[in-house]
Amino acid sequence: AACAAGTAVYAAAAALPHACAPALRMFIDDGTLTATAARDLAENQLLTVNLGPPQLPEWGRDVRRRWLRDHHGFACECATCARDDAKQAARAARAAGAASRKVD
């Protein structure tokens, strides 16, 4: 299959899982793919990459998930998205509790 101009497939990198706060940053220079740690890594930490544009980690959860669904066909369930889900659920529970107290 043909690729668009300026695209490449690196098999080893393509096998790495996505995370919205990835462990690795990837760079391509003159056809060579280089991966560097995006932060301090723990021993045996899962190596992950951002499958979106470089600014994706800065976007809100819903925007990140929509972009990944539209461009890669999956619903992101990475640790960052799961943490954002938990925060949203906690906010909703607090709001529901406040609303029920007002009704009483």
Side-chain angles (χ1 to χ4, degrees), residues 9 12 14 22 30 32 47 55-56 58 60 66 73 83 94-96 100:
V9 176
D30 198 26
T32 299
L47 299 179
Q55 63 273 23
L56 182 131
E58 300 164 15
R66 186 176 321 110
R83 217 173 10 260
R94 283 192 301 274
S100 69

Side-chain angles (χ1 to χ4, degrees), residues 24-72:
L24 300 175
R25 278 190 225 113
M26 308 276 253
F27 304 94
I28 299 174
D29 184 28
D30 198 26
T32 299
L33 177 71
T34 302
T36 61
R39 60 181 180 279
D40 289 340
L41 303 176
E43 187 174 342
N44 296 319
Q45 179 174 340
L46 178 65
L47 299 179
T48 57
V49 294
N50 168 20
L51 293 178
Q55 63 273 23
L56 182 131
E58 300 164 15
W59 299 345
R61 181 204 61 198
D62 293 340
V63 175
R64 293 191 312 262
R65 282 185 168 162
R66 186 176 321 110
W67 193 95
L68 291 164
R69 183 192 63 237
D70 292 350
H71 292 85
H72 293 290

